[in-house]
Amino acid sequence: MELVISRKILLSGMQTVQRAVAARTTLPILSNILMEARDGILKLFATDLEIRIECEVPAEVKENGIITVPAKLLQELVNNFSSEEMYLKTDEEKQILSISCGEGNYRLNTLTAEEYPSLPEVKKGINLKFSSSLLKDMIKSTIFAAAPSTESRVVLTGVFFEVKEDKLTLVATNAHRLVVKIGEIKKVKEGISKILPTKALQEVSRLIQDEEEVDILISEKQVKFTLKNSLIYSRCIEGQFPPYQQVIPSSIPKITWKVKSADILSSTKRVSSIAKEDTNVVRLRTIDNKLSIEALTQDVGFGQETVNIEKKGEDIEIAFNAEYLLDFLQKAESEILVFELNAPETATVIKPQDEENYFYVIMPIKPV
């Protein structure tokens, strides 16, 4: 392999694929990026065996070739070079990549491409197309509620992705809170429902460019996202997603609050600084049309703020995990939020007043 490439272009390509490089692995080659030069194009690949990201960047290719290079080291070098033109050449026998940029000359040890693993190609499945604005908004609005990767119930670490007729529904839960977002799409002939890993969706959201259409090909076990300048492959999460509809309160709420989102967000942020020092619990208590947000932490102190609300029903006191409450308050882009409550020990529904197809269900914390 021999090529000349712009430093900025190479850096941009590496930044595209870097999140798929395995951070901790027993396979050294997964810490590498696969580079393939051919016909005026340099292709970059990275995988951690769960997702794979590919992208293409233009280059002056003098000799075709393919090699894998330590991702972290190469990116650090490229990021710190001052000259704009880079010259790369491999010695396949010695497995060395020579790099020249300005006055700098480096030789990096490489591993052969034959050792580099890859996810199987997604060739058949259901093909879908979505606008970038719709998909990015729906991912951002739901992904935060999924369980972390350390969760033993793997199905909770992903986002339930369902296409049915003219609706796209994304659902995420960690068993203590649940979020649902429904988007309007062009009617499809064949629907599908899968659990997609949060890491893959995070990368899709990061790499989507404005005003582009995203192609999604979903097979039985894999999904492929085709973006303008990159491809993202991922395994689907196998298993049965919890019957989330059963968690959503179906009865008419006994109590409703309407509150300015900016008011409750800023107040909860400040009060939570007291709460997170201990149990991370904030208590919400109403007296007529005033909502008191409070936190009491032993050895730290007490915090309390009051915001105006429009209330229907009796006064109530209820406690929530501050982090879970803030997660939704920061995502809901609405001037007014509506809280629907029944009792201090039952689930509360929070939703934007002007958006029927987006809501959050949060379980309260039982008083000690």
Side-chain angles (χ1 to χ4, degrees), residues 282-295:
V282 291
R283 296 182 183 276
L284 277 59
R285 179 168 54 88
T286 58
I287 302 176
D288 298 326
N289 286 325
K290 299 287 185 180
L291 173 64
S292 178
I293 305 165
E294 305 170 1

Side-chain angles (χ1 to χ4, degrees), residues 127-156:
N127 194 270
L128 305 164
K129 292 180 183 291
F130 300 114
S131 70
S132 60
S133 57
L134 171 72
L135 194 58
K136 191 167 189 174
D137 176 62
M138 293 193 66
I139 292 172
K140 180 191 72 172
S141 298
T142 56
I143 198 169
F144 67 90
S149 58
T150 52
E151 168 66 47
S152 60
R153 293 164 292 179
V154 180
V155 294
L156 300 184

Side-chain angles (χ1 to χ4, degrees), residues 97-280:
L97 173 67
S98 297
I99 303 172
S100 298
C101 186
E103 300 301 318
N105 295 283
Y106 295 81
R107 292 192 298 275
L108 304 185
N109 295 329
T110 67
L111 294 172
T112 62
E114 287 77 11
E115 299 179 36
Y116 199 78
S118 65
L119 298 176
E121 292 289 335
V122 184
K123 295 182 179 179
K124 293 183 179 180
I126 294 178
N127 194 270
L128 305 164
K129 292 180 183 291
F130 300 114
S131 70
S132 60
S133 57
L134 171 72
L135 194 58
K136 191 167 189 174
D137 176 62
M138 293 193 66
I139 292 172
K140 180 191 72 172
S141 298
T142 56
I143 198 169
F144 67 90
S149 58
T150 52
E151 168 66 47
S152 60
R153 293 164 292 179
V154 180
V155 294
L156 300 184
T157 66
V159 175
F160 182 67
F161 185 100
E162 182 179 58
V163 176
K164 191 174 182 181
E165 296 182 346
D166 60 349
K167 298 284 191 299
L168 168 64
T169 302
L170 268 60
V171 184
T173 181
N174 68 352
H176 302 288
R177 42 99 176 265
L178 176 143
V179 64
V180 179
K181 177 90 169 181
I182 303 170
E184 303 284 338
I185 59 173
K186 292 181 181 178
K187 193 168 184 177
V188 297
K189 294 181 180 179
E190 188 175 3
I192 193 169
S193 59
K194 292 289 180 182
I195 307 173
L196 303 184
T198 55
K199 183 173 182 179
L201 292 176
Q202 284 172 336
E203 293 312 304
V204 171
S205 179
R206 178 176 71 94
L207 296 174
I208 286 178
Q209 296 186 15
D210 293 337
E211 299 181 1
E212 73 167 302
E213 195 169 53
V214 181
D215 287 316
I216 305 177
L217 180 61
I218 304 179
S219 67
E220 183 178 352
K221 294 185 177 182
Q222 288 187 286
V223 59
K224 173 186 176 183
F225 297 89
T226 302
L227 311 181
K228 186 175 181 180
N229 294 320
S230 56
L231 296 173
I232 300 174
Y233 295 81
S234 174
R235 302 180 193 276
C236 298
I237 295 176
E238 297 185 36
Q240 189 70 35
F241 197 75
Y244 67 91
Q245 296 91 341
Q246 297 178 10
V247 179
I248 304 168
S250 57
S251 60
I252 297 174
K254 296 178 182 178
I255 304 164
T256 61
W257 306 336
K258 290 184 179 180
V259 57
K260 289 183 178 180
S261 58
D263 290 349
I264 191 170
L265 173 59
S266 58
S267 293
T268 304
K269 274 185 176 180
R270 289 189 289 268
V271 172
S272 69
S273 64
I274 298 291
K276 66 186 178 184
E277 294 293 336
D278 188 14
T279 58
N280 204 28

